[in-house]
Amino acid sequence: VQLQASGGGLVQPGGSLRLSCAASEGTFSSYTVGWFRQAPGKEREFVGAVRQGRSYYDDSVKGRFTISRDNARNTVNLQMNSLKPEDTAVYYCAAGRPILSEIRRPLGYGHWGQGTQVTVSS
């Protein structure tokens, strides 16, 4: 499956952005879809994932970010509200079939999008 992430940009603190992850080839309705981010000089970190109808989030984004799945459009969206400067990073979507205990690990995903930059700054 080929993935393409979009929707990044520059936003002020407290603002919102909506990222989309589209499968351009194949379908990923049966996959776990995860969102990760990587800031300069830091390791790629888990943001959230949707797996078998349930969503999971890192504590740093819980209550601010929401993942939704649109199987008809073959997309998974990441709605980001109340953005903070520390949310600045390149955001990646990924698809795979990790076991539940592995959904927070990048190695659990075999398909990755190209990344989209999110910058939160005044």
Side-chain angles (χ1 to χ4, degrees):
V1 59
Q2 302 272 351
L3 304 179
Q4 184 168 6
S6 62
L10 173 64
V11 63
Q12 292 186 344
S16 298
L17 278 177
R18 184 173 183 246
L19 305 185
S20 290
C21 179
S24 58
E25 292 185 13
T27 179
F28 60 3
S29 60
S30 64
Y31 285 81
T32 294
V33 177
W35 285 95
F36 292 80
R37 64 188 180 186
Q38 189 165 17
K42 295 189 176 181
E43 293 188 353
R44 193 166 296 190
E45 64 178 14
F46 174 77
V47 173
V50 56
R51 180 181 186 273
Q52 296 180 356
R54 291 191 63 180
S55 299
Y56 303 84
Y57 301 95
D58 184 78
D59 286 346
S60 65
V61 306
K62 201 172 291 183
R64 301 188 297 122
F65 290 11
T66 303
I67 294 175
S68 61
R69 191 163 202 153
D70 186 342
N71 288 331
R73 291 183 170 84
N74 220 19
T75 61
V76 172
N77 300 311
L78 177 67
Q79 178 67 40
M80 306 186 296
N81 298 328
S82 302
L83 284 161
K84 304 175 181 180
E86 52 263 43
D87 294 318
T88 295
V90 177
Y91 283 69
Y92 299 89
C93 63
R97 293 191 171 97
I99 58 175
L100 183 57
S101 61
E102 296 290 321
I103 64 168
R104 298 171 184 271
R105 301 185 63 185
L107 287 177
Y109 299 81
H111 307 276
W112 289 83
Q114 83 285 8
T116 184
Q117 176 71 46
V118 171
T119 302
V120 185
S121 175
S122 54

